mmCIF file with all atom_site columns, all heavy atoms in Angstrom:
data_model
loop_
_atom_site.group_PDB
_atom_site.id
_atom_site.type_symbol
_atom_site.label_atom_id
_atom_site.label_alt_id
_atom_site.label_comp_id
_atom_site.label_asym_id
_atom_site.label_entity_id
_atom_site.label_seq_id
_atom_site.pdbx_PDB_ins_code
_atom_site.Cartn_x
_atom_site.Cartn_y
_atom_site.Cartn_z
_atom_site.occupancy
_atom_site.B_iso_or_equiv
_atom_site.pdbx_formal_charge
_atom_site.auth_seq_id
_atom_site.auth_comp_id
_atom_site.auth_asym_id
_atom_site.auth_atom_id
_atom_site.pdbx_PDB_model_num
ATOM 1   N N   . ILE A 1 11 ? -1.926  -24.455 -19.258 1.00 97.00 ? 11 ILE A N   1
ATOM 2   C CA  . ILE A 1 11 ? -2.351  -23.901 -17.948 1.00 97.00 ? 11 ILE A CA  1
ATOM 3   C C   . ILE A 1 11 ? -2.991  -22.517 -18.175 1.00 97.00 ? 11 ILE A C   1
ATOM 4   O O   . ILE A 1 11 ? -2.630  -21.798 -19.110 1.00 97.00 ? 11 ILE A O   1
ATOM 5   C CB  . ILE A 1 11 ? -1.082  -23.772 -17.028 1.00 97.00 ? 11 ILE A CB  1
ATOM 6   C CG1 . ILE A 1 11 ? -1.526  -23.556 -15.608 1.00 97.00 ? 11 ILE A CG1 1
ATOM 7   C CG2 . ILE A 1 11 ? -0.090  -22.774 -17.543 1.00 97.00 ? 11 ILE A CG2 1
ATOM 8   C CD1 . ILE A 1 11 ? -0.447  -23.790 -14.592 1.00 97.00 ? 11 ILE A CD1 1
ATOM 9   N N   . PHE A 1 12 ? -3.910  -22.206 -17.294 1.00 97.00 ? 12 PHE A N   1
ATOM 10  C CA  . PHE A 1 12 ? -4.610  -20.912 -17.316 1.00 97.00 ? 12 PHE A CA  1
ATOM 11  C C   . PHE A 1 12 ? -4.536  -20.345 -15.869 1.00 97.00 ? 12 PHE A C   1
ATOM 12  O O   . PHE A 1 12 ? -4.962  -21.054 -14.959 1.00 97.00 ? 12 PHE A O   1
ATOM 13  C CB  . PHE A 1 12 ? -6.024  -21.010 -17.738 1.00 97.00 ? 12 PHE A CB  1
ATOM 14  C CG  . PHE A 1 12 ? -6.716  -19.701 -17.926 1.00 97.00 ? 12 PHE A CG  1
ATOM 15  C CD1 . PHE A 1 12 ? -6.629  -18.965 -19.074 1.00 97.00 ? 12 PHE A CD1 1
ATOM 16  C CD2 . PHE A 1 12 ? -7.495  -19.171 -16.888 1.00 97.00 ? 12 PHE A CD2 1
ATOM 17  C CE1 . PHE A 1 12 ? -7.226  -17.698 -19.214 1.00 97.00 ? 12 PHE A CE1 1
ATOM 18  C CE2 . PHE A 1 12 ? -8.125  -17.923 -17.008 1.00 97.00 ? 12 PHE A CE2 1
ATOM 19  C CZ  . PHE A 1 12 ? -7.995  -17.250 -18.227 1.00 97.00 ? 12 PHE A CZ  1
ATOM 20  N N   . GLY A 1 13 ? -4.012  -19.186 -15.710 1.00 94.00 ? 13 GLY A N   1
ATOM 21  C CA  . GLY A 1 13 ? -3.893  -18.608 -14.362 1.00 94.00 ? 13 GLY A CA  1
ATOM 22  C C   . GLY A 1 13 ? -4.692  -17.344 -14.169 1.00 94.00 ? 13 GLY A C   1
ATOM 23  O O   . GLY A 1 13 ? -4.873  -16.565 -15.105 1.00 94.00 ? 13 GLY A O   1
ATOM 24  N N   . VAL A 1 14 ? -5.125  -17.140 -12.957 1.00 92.00 ? 14 VAL A N   1
ATOM 25  C CA  . VAL A 1 14 ? -5.864  -15.938 -12.539 1.00 92.00 ? 14 VAL A CA  1
ATOM 26  C C   . VAL A 1 14 ? -5.177  -15.356 -11.320 1.00 92.00 ? 14 VAL A C   1
ATOM 27  O O   . VAL A 1 14 ? -4.940  -16.053 -10.343 1.00 92.00 ? 14 VAL A O   1
ATOM 28  C CB  . VAL A 1 14 ? -7.346  -16.302 -12.183 1.00 92.00 ? 14 VAL A CB  1
ATOM 29  C CG1 . VAL A 1 14 ? -8.065  -15.051 -11.727 1.00 92.00 ? 14 VAL A CG1 1
ATOM 30  C CG2 . VAL A 1 14 ? -8.051  -16.906 -13.379 1.00 92.00 ? 14 VAL A CG2 1
ATOM 31  N N   . GLY A 1 15 ? -4.845  -14.080 -11.395 1.00 84.00 ? 15 GLY A N   1
ATOM 32  C CA  . GLY A 1 15 ? -4.162  -13.429 -10.302 1.00 84.00 ? 15 GLY A CA  1
ATOM 33  C C   . GLY A 1 15 ? -5.103  -12.879 -9.229  1.00 84.00 ? 15 GLY A C   1
ATOM 34  O O   . GLY A 1 15 ? -6.235  -12.531 -9.506  1.00 84.00 ? 15 GLY A O   1
ATOM 35  N N   . GLU A 1 16 ? -4.566  -12.741 -8.012  1.00 81.00 ? 16 GLU A N   1
ATOM 36  C CA  . GLU A 1 16 ? -5.337  -12.258 -6.886  1.00 81.00 ? 16 GLU A CA  1
ATOM 37  C C   . GLU A 1 16 ? -4.973  -10.794 -6.682  1.00 81.00 ? 16 GLU A C   1
ATOM 38  O O   . GLU A 1 16 ? -3.786  -10.444 -6.562  1.00 81.00 ? 16 GLU A O   1
ATOM 39  C CB  . GLU A 1 16 ? -4.939  -13.000 -5.609  1.00 81.00 ? 16 GLU A CB  1
ATOM 40  C CG  . GLU A 1 16 ? -5.519  -12.469 -4.367  1.00 81.00 ? 16 GLU A CG  1
ATOM 41  C CD  . GLU A 1 16 ? -4.953  -13.095 -3.136  1.00 81.00 ? 16 GLU A CD  1
ATOM 42  O OE1 . GLU A 1 16 ? -4.430  -14.289 -3.203  1.00 81.00 ? 16 GLU A OE1 1
ATOM 43  O OE2 . GLU A 1 16 ? -4.943  -12.476 -2.056  1.00 81.00 ? 16 GLU A OE2 1
ATOM 44  N N   . HIS A 1 17 ? -6.000  -9.957  -6.738  1.00 77.00 ? 17 HIS A N   1
ATOM 45  C CA  . HIS A 1 17 ? -5.796  -8.527  -6.497  1.00 77.00 ? 17 HIS A CA  1
ATOM 46  C C   . HIS A 1 17 ? -6.948  -7.948  -5.649  1.00 77.00 ? 17 HIS A C   1
ATOM 47  O O   . HIS A 1 17 ? -8.039  -8.478  -5.701  1.00 77.00 ? 17 HIS A O   1
ATOM 48  C CB  . HIS A 1 17 ? -5.742  -7.743  -7.792  1.00 77.00 ? 17 HIS A CB  1
ATOM 49  C CG  . HIS A 1 17 ? -4.566  -8.094  -8.662  1.00 77.00 ? 17 HIS A CG  1
ATOM 50  N ND1 . HIS A 1 17 ? -3.287  -7.603  -8.367  1.00 77.00 ? 17 HIS A ND1 1
ATOM 51  C CD2 . HIS A 1 17 ? -4.446  -8.913  -9.697  1.00 77.00 ? 17 HIS A CD2 1
ATOM 52  C CE1 . HIS A 1 17 ? -2.460  -8.074  -9.287  1.00 77.00 ? 17 HIS A CE1 1
ATOM 53  N NE2 . HIS A 1 17 ? -3.147  -8.909  -10.106 1.00 77.00 ? 17 HIS A NE2 1
ATOM 54  N N   . HIS A 1 18 ? -6.701  -6.953  -4.891  1.00 74.00 ? 18 HIS A N   1
ATOM 55  C CA  . HIS A 1 18 ? -7.711  -6.369  -4.004  1.00 74.00 ? 18 HIS A CA  1
ATOM 56  C C   . HIS A 1 18 ? -7.843  -4.858  -4.175  1.00 74.00 ? 18 HIS A C   1
ATOM 57  O O   . HIS A 1 18 ? -8.071  -4.150  -3.151  1.00 74.00 ? 18 HIS A O   1
ATOM 58  C CB  . HIS A 1 18 ? -7.370  -6.747  -2.543  1.00 74.00 ? 18 HIS A CB  1
ATOM 59  C CG  . HIS A 1 18 ? -7.275  -8.197  -2.347  1.00 74.00 ? 18 HIS A CG  1
ATOM 60  N ND1 . HIS A 1 18 ? -8.380  -9.021  -2.180  1.00 74.00 ? 18 HIS A ND1 1
ATOM 61  C CD2 . HIS A 1 18 ? -6.188  -9.072  -2.330  1.00 74.00 ? 18 HIS A CD2 1
ATOM 62  C CE1 . HIS A 1 18 ? -7.983  -10.260 -2.029  1.00 74.00 ? 18 HIS A CE1 1
ATOM 63  N NE2 . HIS A 1 18 ? -6.687  -10.328 -2.148  1.00 74.00 ? 18 HIS A NE2 1
ATOM 64  N N   . THR A 1 19 ? -7.728  -4.412  -5.358  1.00 74.00 ? 19 THR A N   1
ATOM 65  C CA  . THR A 1 19 ? -7.896  -3.009  -5.643  1.00 74.00 ? 19 THR A CA  1
ATOM 66  C C   . THR A 1 19 ? -8.876  -2.816  -6.829  1.00 74.00 ? 19 THR A C   1
ATOM 67  O O   . THR A 1 19 ? -9.158  -3.800  -7.513  1.00 74.00 ? 19 THR A O   1
ATOM 68  C CB  . THR A 1 19 ? -6.569  -2.291  -5.990  1.00 74.00 ? 19 THR A CB  1
ATOM 69  O OG1 . THR A 1 19 ? -5.990  -2.892  -7.126  1.00 74.00 ? 19 THR A OG1 1
ATOM 70  C CG2 . THR A 1 19 ? -5.571  -2.393  -4.842  1.00 74.00 ? 19 THR A CG2 1
ATOM 71  N N   . LEU A 1 20 ? -9.342  -1.620  -6.993  1.00 76.00 ? 20 LEU A N   1
ATOM 72  C CA  . LEU A 1 20 ? -10.345 -1.391  -8.084  1.00 76.00 ? 20 LEU A CA  1
ATOM 73  C C   . LEU A 1 20 ? -9.773  -1.567  -9.502  1.00 76.00 ? 20 LEU A C   1
ATOM 74  O O   . LEU A 1 20 ? -10.536 -1.669  -10.465 1.00 76.00 ? 20 LEU A O   1
ATOM 75  C CB  . LEU A 1 20 ? -10.961 -0.029  -7.900  1.00 76.00 ? 20 LEU A CB  1
ATOM 76  C CG  . LEU A 1 20 ? -11.761 0.194   -6.619  1.00 76.00 ? 20 LEU A CG  1
ATOM 77  C CD1 . LEU A 1 20 ? -12.241 1.628   -6.503  1.00 76.00 ? 20 LEU A CD1 1
ATOM 78  C CD2 . LEU A 1 20 ? -12.942 -0.784  -6.610  1.00 76.00 ? 20 LEU A CD2 1
ATOM 79  N N   . GLU A 1 21 ? -8.443  -1.509  -9.614  1.00 77.00 ? 21 GLU A N   1
ATOM 80  C CA  . GLU A 1 21 ? -7.839  -1.603  -10.966 1.00 77.00 ? 21 GLU A CA  1
ATOM 81  C C   . GLU A 1 21 ? -7.923  -3.026  -11.563 1.00 77.00 ? 21 GLU A C   1
ATOM 82  O O   . GLU A 1 21 ? -7.670  -3.183  -12.741 1.00 77.00 ? 21 GLU A O   1
ATOM 83  C CB  . GLU A 1 21 ? -6.371  -1.163  -10.916 1.00 77.00 ? 21 GLU A CB  1
ATOM 84  C CG  . GLU A 1 21 ? -6.191  0.316   -10.671 1.00 77.00 ? 21 GLU A CG  1
ATOM 85  C CD  . GLU A 1 21 ? -6.252  0.651   -9.206  1.00 77.00 ? 21 GLU A CD  1
ATOM 86  O OE1 . GLU A 1 21 ? -6.016  -0.204  -8.299  1.00 77.00 ? 21 GLU A OE1 1
ATOM 87  O OE2 . GLU A 1 21 ? -6.517  1.834   -8.873  1.00 77.00 ? 21 GLU A OE2 1
ATOM 88  N N   . PHE A 1 22 ? -8.186  -4.025  -10.723 1.00 75.00 ? 22 PHE A N   1
ATOM 89  C CA  . PHE A 1 22 ? -8.219  -5.393  -11.180 1.00 75.00 ? 22 PHE A CA  1
ATOM 90  C C   . PHE A 1 22 ? -9.573  -6.042  -10.916 1.00 75.00 ? 22 PHE A C   1
ATOM 91  O O   . PHE A 1 22 ? -10.252 -5.664  -9.949  1.00 75.00 ? 22 PHE A O   1
ATOM 92  C CB  . PHE A 1 22 ? -7.063  -6.167  -10.527 1.00 75.00 ? 22 PHE A CB  1
ATOM 93  C CG  . PHE A 1 22 ? -5.735  -5.655  -10.792 1.00 75.00 ? 22 PHE A CG  1
ATOM 94  C CD1 . PHE A 1 22 ? -5.048  -4.783  -9.913  1.00 75.00 ? 22 PHE A CD1 1
ATOM 95  C CD2 . PHE A 1 22 ? -5.095  -6.026  -11.985 1.00 75.00 ? 22 PHE A CD2 1
ATOM 96  C CE1 . PHE A 1 22 ? -3.831  -4.335  -10.226 1.00 75.00 ? 22 PHE A CE1 1
ATOM 97  C CE2 . PHE A 1 22 ? -3.816  -5.540  -12.265 1.00 75.00 ? 22 PHE A CE2 1
ATOM 98  C CZ  . PHE A 1 22 ? -3.177  -4.668  -11.405 1.00 75.00 ? 22 PHE A CZ  1
ATOM 99  N N   . ALA A 1 23 ? -9.948  -6.983  -11.665 1.00 79.00 ? 23 ALA A N   1
ATOM 100 C CA  . ALA A 1 23 ? -11.325 -7.586  -11.626 1.00 79.00 ? 23 ALA A CA  1
ATOM 101 C C   . ALA A 1 23 ? -11.451 -8.694  -10.602 1.00 79.00 ? 23 ALA A C   1
ATOM 102 O O   . ALA A 1 23 ? -12.556 -8.990  -10.181 1.00 79.00 ? 23 ALA A O   1
ATOM 103 C CB  . ALA A 1 23 ? -11.705 -8.053  -12.995 1.00 79.00 ? 23 ALA A CB  1
#
Side-chain angles (χ1 to χ4, degrees):
I11 194 165
F12 186 85
V14 177
E16 172 189 337
H17 295 282
H18 301 280
T19 60
L20 296 176
E21 291 83 20
F22 299 97

